[in-house]
Amino acid sequence: MAIPEQRNGGTRSGPELQAAPGEPTSRRKALILGTLCITLFMAMLDNVVVNTALPRIGSQLHAGVTGLQWVVEGYSLLYAALLLTGGTLGDRFGRKRVFLAGVVGFTLGSMLCALSGSIGELLAARMVQGVGAAMLTPGSLSIIRNTFPEPRERARAIGLWSGISGLGLALGPAVGGPLVDAFGWSSVFWINVPIGAVALLVGWRVLPEFHDGRDRFDVPGQITGALGFGALVFALIEGPGSGWGSVRVLTAAAIALLALVSFVVIEATRATPMLDLSFFRDRVISGALMSGFMVSFGMFGALFFLPLLMQDVYGWSPTMAGVGSLPATASIMAAAPVAGIVTGRLGPRPALVTGLLLCAASVGGLSLYGLGAHYGSYVWTLPVMGLGMGLSFAPVSVAVLERVPAPKAGIASAVTNTMREVGGVVGVATLGAILTSRMTGLLGHKLHALGIDAGHSHQVVGAVTDGGAGGITASRALPPPLRDTVDSSFVQALHLALRSGAGLLALAAIAAWLLLRAKADRPALAQPSEVAAPSGSAV
């Protein structure tokens, strides 16, 4: 029996220590980074490419805005709830093993999505995808942290890694549009299968294996955290349709409050917590995590509704909507690697604050244009959006990983990604709640002004918000006056949601400026000399 040996703050077995060769060669580093990038590209692409297919999914599977929100949130909810679990599994069983298991789960979930014949089946398959993504994502940043020990080199690697993730987000509409037009909505899921197969084969050969010897799981923390986040999102999504005072919404909100408070109390008393609350005592880490949360909150919340606006209101085809997003794609590709370089030299604050302000300007700018808007009038918002997103990704990861010791890289990476993903979940749910509530009120009032009786008015409102008749797409079959009423109500409600998101992003930029300081101001929490050497042979 191998005697556990303490190395750089983590427990590793004797055979693993004997296999550790030291720092990988440049070629192996490139292969490792390439493998991590392609898997993250797959996960990020799927986050957005599904949005392009939402109108077609809503029409063919008979889902309204709320049902389509759950297609997005079903994935994000499981992803966010299990990210910390994915980090602890990697700590115990090895980052490579858990990472590759996540790739298998995500690829299998993609196949099940493509084969779904109902909105319920699709939601279940999206949850399988979410579980897979939660297993592979924490290991990705942790492997980078240990493969690239030198801070500037690590910042450049994270910049490239972030750029690829941003590229996946930006290419989603451009790739998804033609796929949906040519092969149907299921094709946006089939595209993940060959990417996942390549990542699995290459990753098995080149990724290093290491772990920190965690021997216990935080079961109470996992249960309360997952229950709290799930109940919160359920309440936010169901509130507009069921009524904020309904029994099930109030019950879900109460469960969320109790579970999340219990989660914080449990984590504060655990010897090996899933969520290390000491991170939040560091103002730079807190500022970075808050910024990552808010970028996802604002951008994912806005990006969820843009395909519905372009395709269902403006009448664009999926391909046209995808091509129209290319200015954002190019900007993300240009900004993300630059953000990594700038962050390595100047610290995270300049790039992150600039990115947040640009995100706020782009989301707020989109709210200035109504039904008669032409692409040429609002196209300026797309490169601004891309620059903001591209500048924001890398600084968040760098700020956190620079200030924690290597043995805590796994849990720090899981916390970073959890905050981002929870931000996206809450952003879609919150901005969706604002939009749906506002649209329901506006549409009911306008239909009453047109002389529509209460019964028929309720049917129209339910069809375009709660589903059952194709959602917003159902308005295409309505007579022109009713269709125009639905479209104008949707756009007005969207403007309120976008302005709410823009305002919160601007406040986040101010908070980030105050919380983040020069990188030379380093607390005792960070111990950059403690870098665990990955095991496996160098190439």
Side-chain angles (χ1 to χ4, degrees), residues 195-244:
I195 298 176
V198 170
L200 185 63
L201 291 174
V202 178
W204 182 263
R205 290 182 57 85
V206 306
L207 291 180
E209 182 63 283
F210 56 92
H211 61 76
D212 294 331
R214 180 185 293 267
D215 57 0
R216 290 185 179 181
F217 290 109
D218 183 7
V219 176
Q222 176 56 51
I223 293 174
T224 54
L227 181 62
F229 288 128
L232 174 63
V233 173
F234 179 87
L236 288 171
I237 292 178
E238 292 296 319
S242 301
W244 295 106

Side-chain angles (χ1 to χ4, degrees), residues 54-82:
L54 287 177
R56 195 71 60 86
I57 292 172
S59 177
Q60 295 185 6
L61 299 186
H62 307 295
V65 172
T66 300
L68 296 180
Q69 276 186 261
W70 274 113
V71 170
V72 175
E73 300 284 34
Y75 170 86
S76 297
L77 179 58
L78 267 291
Y79 187 18
L82 298 177

